[in-house]
Amino acid sequence: MDREAIQQRFGIVGQSAAIRNVIDRARMVARTDITVLLQGESGVGKELIAHAIHGMSPRRHGPFVIVNCGAIPEGLLESELFGAEKGAYTGAVERRKGYFEEADGGTIFLDEIGEMPLAAQVRLLRVLETGEFTRVGSSRPIKTDVRIIAATNKDLAKAVRAGHFREDLYYRISTVIIEIPPLRERREDIIPLFEYFLHRAAQRYGTPLRRLDESARQLLLRYHWPGNVRELRNVAEQVAVLLTKNTITAEDLRPLLRGVSAGRSLMPVSRASEHGGDPRERELIYRLLLELRLDMHEIKALLHRLVSGQVRRPEQLPAPSEEPAFRSSPSWTEAEDVDFVEDVPFEEELDFEPVETHDHWESEQETLREAATDQHEQKTAEQSPASGLLNDERLPTLAEAERMLIVEALKRYGGNRRQAARALGISERTLYRKLKEIDEAL
């Protein structure tokens, strides 16, 4: 059976290279009894591919049993999978068969296998290894002949490292892995899929067939589709039932797209996100852009002060190897640091651990404060705090002095935020907040 015939028979729509590769791998494994693991985000069509594998296999005339491991309560999962004897537990008034007995001679599809508890994983491993199982409440082994296809939207390798999934079971079910890509990685399939679902919905609900104009097509292509094909199908059904216009525009579609109607701006998915860009690289680019923007504002402000004759040079900052000679402003608190973290839209949860722990940073801050206090007390006895700064001219405001110190610290350390923050006796996050305030003021 060629690829086109498989797509027509099982309703697999799309001509992208990604979906063609999935169909080819499914066709190769279908003629064997090898265990297959389908991986992909929720809504990409894992169950549809499992149906296709079963339908192309020698077991196609046998039963195809679907088990959602995440929908069955943990206490009932073993009895549902392997059956139970009469009286095995409260309410077991008769012997009942489990899914593995019902699937004998066919295929069992274990959806969301990453949600299976560890106790049930042990029994499943025995079935895979020996083809035998025992009902709950019985000691008599029962032979079964089933082909197992498993599916998950989790990273099982990471779950193994975290101790949430058995390593031996992982290697047993992942003999062949078929990765089903999300819809945003095969955008050439979005319009054909939408029109396919729209046609089916019109036939099912007896509504006129709608047509998409160019703006609606562009909106569908730009949307990020977090729910993948399942969300696309739901939108197509809403269009068929709720909209009365024959030609659908972008404004008609916009309220039906999750996230767009909630007020978030609709933007095309960047190339980095499509190909899994490194978050460290994005953070570095953001910092460089922020520093470039700050430098431009600093140059403008410096030119303005030079023209107006208001340039003032603060006291000499300590060399990079010295400790700072002043303490943090009392208004810069750790509580404000926490608030600032919430305001930064570019922060992401990265997989690597931070270099410095909170305890280490607190101890370092305390050391800096003690050194600053000692040196400040020595200077107080010798001169007025403002005498060396202003040469008997007007005192700057607190905001001006703060801005001058931050600018001077960044220049001294070549724009290095971490070193500048240490020299100023504040955390790096507080420095980011102060830079943001300076940027807004300018």
Side-chain angles (χ1 to χ4, degrees), residues 227-243:
N228 293 293
V229 180
R230 182 181 293 121
E231 183 183 4
L232 182 73
R233 181 187 62 196
N234 291 344
V235 173
E237 291 182 350
Q238 291 181 71
V239 169
V241 174
L242 300 179
L243 302 183

Side-chain angles (χ1 to χ4, degrees), residues 185-200:
E185 293 183 5
R186 48 187 185 104
R187 294 186 175 274
E188 57 267 48
D189 294 337
I190 291 177
I191 300 302
L193 274 167
F194 189 86
E195 292 178 340
Y196 170 77
F197 290 130
L198 193 61
H199 181 72
R200 278 183 44 179

Side-chain angles (χ1 to χ4, degrees), residues 14 19 32 64 93 161 213 268 277 282 288 290 302-303 373 386 398:
I19 199 64
T32 69
F64 180 73
V93 295
R161 292 192 293 270
D213 72 355
R282 291 197 296 271
L288 290 175
L290 186 61
L302 182 58
L303 289 174
T373 301
L398 182 60

